[in-house]
Amino acid sequence: MAKTTKTKKKVSTSAKDKLQFLYKLQLIDSGIDSVRIVRGELPIEIQQLEDQITHLDTKVQNGNNELTAIEEEQISYKETIKNAKALVKKYKKQLENIKNNREFISLTKEVEFQTLEIELSEKKIKEADAKLSIKNDTVKIIKSEKKDKNTELKIKTEELDSIVKETEKDEKSLLRKSTNAQKNIDEGLLNLYHRIREKVTNGLAVVSIERNACGGCFNTIPPQKQLDIGIHKEIVFCEHCGRILVDSETL
């Protein structure tokens, strides 16, 4: 049984044909752009909200870590107070049975030192309480902000999903047409077309001449260049914006 082979579709080398295929592709891609414009800035806004929520999550986690650290400090200070009180009790009991003045001075200093430790630790605990109060308030504010952002994100996501659902069918149809249209254009020219589309603000890589001016940047096209465009000998670019120019006969 003879093996069948697929023949690669021949791409036209005529400048006029290339321009017609490019212009047809531009019309389709502009249709895709129009569908996506309906979504507006929603995708960007959603991404920004997601980034903000991630940042707020980090701030909440850092705040909780700081709260834990402060609480651990308080536990440490309370343990210091407990040990200091035990030592004060021990030293005071020893003072009841002192044998000489040197022991009295030594034990008295120890009692004073441990008493100062207790006072200092109590002061640190009060300072830690103040820090806890401030930090808890800060974390609550961050959580509240995060809640608001999540609510906003939900609303915008639902809005975008609704728009996507409404335009999905049209977009898929246009994307299929764009893919098929690209098959008629050689790879080098197609890559150039895409580069121009990415560079210009309105996505128009191929434009017609309107009132002797470029349909993209509206700068005047010299008569000689208009003649070059009209004879379709080669692809002509706007010397101001770099767009590909076509005449009415090509449209």
Side-chain angles (χ1 to χ4, degrees), residues 91-92 95 98 101-115:
Y91 294 143
K92 284 184 176 180
L95 279 169
I98 56 170
N101 192 51
R102 188 175 67 180
E103 285 184 17
F104 175 80
I105 294 172
S106 177
L107 287 170
T108 301
K109 285 184 177 180
E110 286 294 339
V111 170
E112 289 176 354
F113 176 76
Q114 295 303 327
T115 301

Side-chain angles (χ1 to χ4, degrees), residues 56-99:
L56 290 171
D57 276 332
T58 301
K59 289 179 74 173
V60 169
Q61 184 60 51
N62 291 339
N64 287 333
N65 290 341
E66 289 179 38
L67 286 170
T68 300
I70 294 170
E71 288 168 352
E72 288 174 352
E73 281 182 11
Q74 284 188 314
I75 292 171
S76 176
Y77 293 138
K78 288 176 182 178
E79 188 66 23
T80 298
I81 290 172
K82 179 182 176 182
N83 293 334
K85 284 182 176 180
L87 288 172
V88 167
K89 184 177 179 181
K90 174 186 172 183
Y91 294 143
K92 284 184 176 180
K93 189 172 183 179
Q94 288 177 357
L95 279 169
E96 295 173 0
N97 302 303
I98 56 170
K99 296 178 181 180

